[in-house]
Amino acid sequence: MGVKNLWDILESCKKTLPLHHLKNKRVCIDLSCWMVQLQNVNKSHCPLKDKLYLKGLFHRLRALIALNCSLIFVTDGSIPAIKLSTYRRRLKSGTEVTQDETNTQKVAPLRRNMGSEFSCMIKEAKLLGVALGIPSLDGVEEAEAQCALLNSESLCDGCFSSDSDIFLFGARTVYRDICLGEGGYVVCYEMADIERKLGFGRNSLITLAIFLGSDYSPGVRGLGPESACQIVKSAGDNAVLQRLALEGLSFAKKLKGSRKQGCSSKENELNHDININGEEKKIMDRIEHDLQGEDHFLQVIDAYLKPKCHSADSEVVHRVLALHPFHRIKLQQMCAQVFDWPPEKTDEYILPKIAERDLRRFANLRSTSSKLGVRLPLDKMPVKCPVSGIIKPRKVHGQECFEVSWEEMHGLNTSIVPADLVESACPEKILEFEERRAQGKKQNHRKPKPKKSENRAPLKEIDLKLQNLLLDIELESNARQKASLTMEAKSTNGNAVIEVDQMKQNLLLLPTELEGKVERNNVSGRYPTGSHAATTEVIDLLSPSPSVPSRMVSKCQRASVDCIEMIDLSESEIEASPEHAKKARELRLFLASIRQDC
């Protein structure tokens, strides 16, 4: 919780900064505060067993890893004795706070229940951090006190915490909240702004905690934030704790002349809770009644000024400040067990962020060496550049980026990184890419058409080869046609020989037929007379065959033979002539297209 109403008092000092404000910074994280935030989101969307809180933590971490933000988890240790009453009240145990519990000198710190549900969530978060290379520092008591000590000792650049009492422990830069995605930001409070705008230092904030109430103090009944701010400002930051220790709260009665010095213009408007007609006397009497006979506020002051923490030079602090490696296999196993992700999905989420982080570290190395006057070329750097080359420019959410290829990056081949990062880390790669692209553009330019005189010689060669090819095809076609004509002539001669043979056979049969007719006529008593007898001739077998019979016989036989021969000739022509003619046409078209292009 922190100090009651303190965030409202510090509202004018709140700054919303872009997420890249955290790049190259070391930040401590009060892990309990983050888990409470993520647990509330988990309860509002799905059951706790779905572990949405752990997935939200994973995405927060990967976003910060990409910025080369070195993270340190800080967890709570034992519960301080001065906080036991508040702790039991939050647990709603129903037990009354005894006199011994209010006297912290007689009460020992209480160990936390490490088997509770919330403690198990903290363990899971720490295991995730180990896989991602994020160390954990277990605090002695309060985690925010340990974060504040590291920040005040300049061992980290800021602290993530939603407990406002972190300022009372000495923190200088506090990030209260974080938002991811496009336009991501962090809500930041700087102690320098609080001192400049409100006039409150660490001592003033501790006094406000005593008046308003905090984890260590129940506060003063009837005293609101406006009145408390007036009292603190009237005393001044340097003297307020000293006066509180020496005079108790009697100095708070001296309010005359300080009523108009509100904490802000808003507080000045709300000063009506203190009436001029004796109301401030009633409030001070109530203050004395609440705290008389007790030095409780001295214990509160001591708890804030001297918290129990690991010292800045301790071994455990030095160990968490060192760089810790990324364990890819452990992360894959954990994501498979908790989120049911395959290894490829885990790599897709985290490897581009790890690669971008390594590139930022390389850029920091070159920048530091340059500031020291050592300007080494890229190939002379003691650490090899993780980028092997630039593939092409990209634009992501309006930001200029490059798609780059990586050198030995856990199997990652390419990813997209901001252009300004590549320029700061390896400007030589950008020059190489620009030269390669310019050379590619020159090669892609259309070459000027050569003159006709330059193309005349190769065209003549092509024409000569194609003409020779056409001539060969035509000669082959003519040869096939001659062969077919020869076959036809031979078949015709064969038909003639067949006709002569048939005629001879017919003529040999004629005398026999005539003799038969003569015998039949003699038997019947009829003889040929007149012209028939006179015209009877002796037929010479060697003479040509009669025209009519021979013509009738040859027509039938010639039709059958010619039909067969014509079919053969037509099939041979179909096989040869159309194919060669088709090839000749294609070659002529090809020759014509070449001439047109030239």
Side-chain angles (χ1 to χ4, degrees):
M1 181 189 78
V3 181
K4 185 179 179 181
N5 296 324
L6 184 57
W7 288 123
D8 296 332
I9 295 172
L10 304 180
E11 180 68 22
S12 61
C13 301
K14 182 176 73 173
K15 295 186 294 186
T16 301
L17 303 176
L19 196 60
H20 64 77
H21 169 78
L22 297 176
K23 66 181 179 182
N24 303 324
K25 294 184 181 296
R26 176 181 280 123
V27 180
C28 294
I29 299 173
D30 185 349
L31 191 55
S32 297
C33 292
W34 267 24
M35 297 309 293
V36 168
Q37 293 175 355
L38 296 169
Q39 184 185 25
N40 293 334
V41 174
N42 191 96
K43 289 179 178 179
S44 62
H45 287 81
C46 62
L48 195 63
K49 63 180 181 180
D50 292 341
K51 300 186 185 299
L52 185 62
Y53 60 89
L54 203 60
K55 190 177 294 185
L57 177 64
F58 172 76
H59 289 298
R60 280 190 181 186
L61 297 177
R62 62 188 284 267
L64 295 176
I65 286 172
L67 296 173
N68 190 30
C69 185
S70 300
L71 304 174
I72 301 174
F73 285 161
V74 182
T75 59
D76 291 310
S78 302
I79 302 171
I82 196 172
K83 192 179 178 180
L84 286 178
S85 59
T86 304
Y87 182 73
R88 288 199 172 99
R89 186 169 62 250
R90 288 178 182 174
L91 292 178
K92 298 179 180 179
S93 60
T95 58
E96 302 233 347
V97 179
T98 64
Q99 185 70 21
D100 289 339
E101 288 177 344
T102 59
N103 187 358
T104 59
Q105 295 178 354
K106 299 180 181 181
V107 180
L110 180 66
R111 292 187 61 186
R112 297 181 185 272
N113 181 10
M114 303 309 293
S116 65
E117 184 180 66
F118 188 77
S119 296
C120 293
M121 293 169 58
I122 295 294
K123 290 179 182 178
E124 291 175 335
K126 290 169 68 175
L127 290 175
L128 180 63
V130 170
L132 291 171
I134 300 173
S136 297
L137 176 60
D138 296 327
V140 178
E141 289 185 347
E142 298 278 42
E144 60 265 32
Q146 188 68 62
C147 291
L149 183 140
L150 296 177
N151 188 212
S152 62
E153 294 289 338
S154 300
L155 296 178
C156 69
D157 299 297
C159 312
F160 269 106
S161 180
S162 57
D163 285 341
S164 57
D165 56 1
I166 191 171
F167 292 106
L168 284 64
F169 290 115
R172 303 297 300 176
T173 302
V174 178
Y175 302 103
R176 184 184 180 187
D177 202 359
I178 181 174
C179 178
L180 304 181
E182 185 179 358
Y185 62 87
V186 289
V187 178
C188 177
Y189 294 83
E190 296 277 357
M191 193 63 189
D193 296 334
I194 297 172
E195 293 170 348
R196 185 181 70 257
K197 292 183 178 181
L198 302 179
F200 291 154
R202 182 180 180 185
N203 296 337
S204 299
L205 297 179
I206 293 174
T207 306
L208 287 176
I210 294 173
F211 288 165
L212 300 176
S214 67
D215 293 341
Y216 298 165
S217 173
V220 179
R221 290 177 296 175
L223 190 62
E226 295 81 9
S227 301
C229 287
Q230 287 184 357
I231 295 171
V232 171
K233 289 193 70 173
S234 64
D237 184 70
N238 293 329
V240 64
L241 289 183
Q242 185 178 3
R243 292 186 62 180
L244 191 62
L246 295 176
E247 306 176 24
L249 295 177
S250 60
F251 78 95
K253 297 181 179 180
K254 304 174 183 178
L255 295 175
K256 290 185 179 181
S258 63
R259 187 178 298 109
K260 296 181 181 179
Q261 301 176 3
C263 296
S264 62
S265 59
K266 180 179 179 180
E267 292 171 353
N268 287 333
E269 294 176 1
L270 298 176
N271 275 339
H272 57 80
D273 62 322
I274 300 180
N275 296 327
I276 299 176
N277 299 326
E279 184 64 24
E280 63 183 57
K281 183 177 182 300
K282 294 180 180 179
I283 294 174
M284 292 303 107
D285 292 342
R286 192 177 301 158
I287 293 173
E288 292 292 343
H289 178 268
D290 287 339
L291 297 177
Q292 63 182 354
E294 290 290 342
D295 293 334
H296 180 71
F297 59 91
L298 294 178
Q299 298 173 4
V300 173
I301 294 172
D302 188 63
Y304 283 125
L305 291 178
K306 300 176 182 179
K308 293 181 180 180
C309 302
H310 297 291
S311 62
D313 58 352
S314 63
E315 182 181 354
V316 64
V317 171
H318 289 167
R319 187 165 57 248
V320 298
L321 293 178
L323 289 178
H324 293 256
F326 161 62
H327 299 283
R328 180 187 178 193
I329 303 301
K330 285 185 179 180
L331 183 64
Q332 290 178 348
Q333 292 174 350
M334 184 172 185
C335 290
Q337 180 180 359
V338 178
F339 307 137
D340 197 21
W341 288 352
E344 296 78 13
K345 185 173 182 179
T346 304
D347 289 345
E348 182 182 353
Y349 272 127
I350 196 62
L351 290 186
K353 306 301 182 182
I354 297 292
E356 185 175 344
R357 180 197 66 183
D358 290 352
L359 185 59
R360 290 189 186 277
R361 289 178 177 176
F362 184 80
N364 291 340
L365 178 62
R366 297 202 75 180
S367 176
T368 303
S369 62
S370 178
K371 290 178 181 179
L372 295 175
V374 181
R375 299 181 181 274
L376 297 176
L378 192 63
D379 56 346
K380 300 294 183 181
M381 291 293 295
V383 179
K384 188 177 181 180
C385 178
V387 173
S388 63
I390 298 176
I391 299 175
K392 59 183 175 180
R394 291 290 194 94
K395 184 170 284 190
V396 180
H397 301 308
Q399 183 183 10
E400 297 294 336
C401 300
F402 283 118
E403 183 178 354
V404 301
S405 56
W406 299 99
E407 293 274 4
E408 302 175 357
M409 192 58 65
H410 304 284
L412 178 67
N413 295 323
T414 64
S415 67
I416 299 173
V417 294
D420 58 348
L421 174 58
V422 180
E423 185 175 1
S424 62
C426 46
E428 297 88 347
K429 298 293 183 181
I430 299 179
L431 293 177
E432 291 177 5
F433 171 71
E434 295 293 343
E435 291 175 359
R436 189 169 66 251
R437 186 166 63 171
Q439 187 177 2
K441 286 182 178 180
K442 288 181 180 179
Q443 292 178 354
N444 292 332
H445 282 177
R446 188 173 181 179
K447 296 181 179 180
K449 289 185 178 180
K451 296 181 180 179
K452 293 183 178 180
S453 60
E454 297 176 359
N455 285 341
R456 191 168 296 171
L459 285 177
K460 286 183 178 180
E461 294 179 1
I462 294 174
D463 286 341
L464 183 60
K465 290 181 180 179
L466 291 175
Q467 287 175 5
N468 292 335
L469 184 60
L470 289 172
L471 183 60
D472 293 341
I473 293 173
E474 289 177 0
L475 291 175
E476 185 179 355
S477 179
N478 292 336
R480 292 198 179 192
Q481 289 179 0
K482 287 181 181 180
S484 63
L485 290 175
T486 304
M487 292 175 62
E488 183 179 0
K490 289 181 179 179
S491 63
T492 304
N493 294 335
N495 290 340
V497 172
I498 293 171
E499 289 178 1
V500 171
D501 294 338
Q502 292 293 333
M503 288 168 60
K504 288 181 179 181
Q505 292 176 6
N506 292 335
L507 289 175
L508 291 174
L509 292 174
L510 283 176
T512 307
E513 292 178 0
L514 289 174
E515 291 177 356
K517 288 181 179 180
V518 170
E519 290 178 357
R520 286 195 299 272
N521 290 333
N522 291 333
V523 172
S524 61
R526 289 180 293 180
Y527 294 94
T529 58
S531 60
H532 293 284
T535 58
T536 302
E537 298 177 354
V538 177
I539 299 173
D540 187 3
L541 295 175
L542 297 176
S543 64
S545 60
S547 60
V548 175
S550 65
R551 194 164 42 246
M552 291 177 63
V553 173
S554 63
K555 280 183 179 180
C556 296
Q557 294 178 354
R558 186 182 300 172
S560 63
V561 174
D562 289 346
C563 182
I564 294 172
E565 294 296 330
M566 288 299 293
I567 291 172
D568 294 337
L569 290 173
S570 64
E571 288 178 355
S572 64
E573 289 177 0
I574 288 172
E575 292 176 357
S577 300
E579 183 179 357
H580 289 285
K582 182 178 179 182
K583 290 181 179 179
R585 284 197 302 272
E586 291 177 353
L587 289 170
R588 290 190 184 92
L589 292 174
F590 175 70
L591 180 60
S593 64
I594 292 177
R595 289 175 176 171
Q596 289 178 0
D597 293 339
C598 297

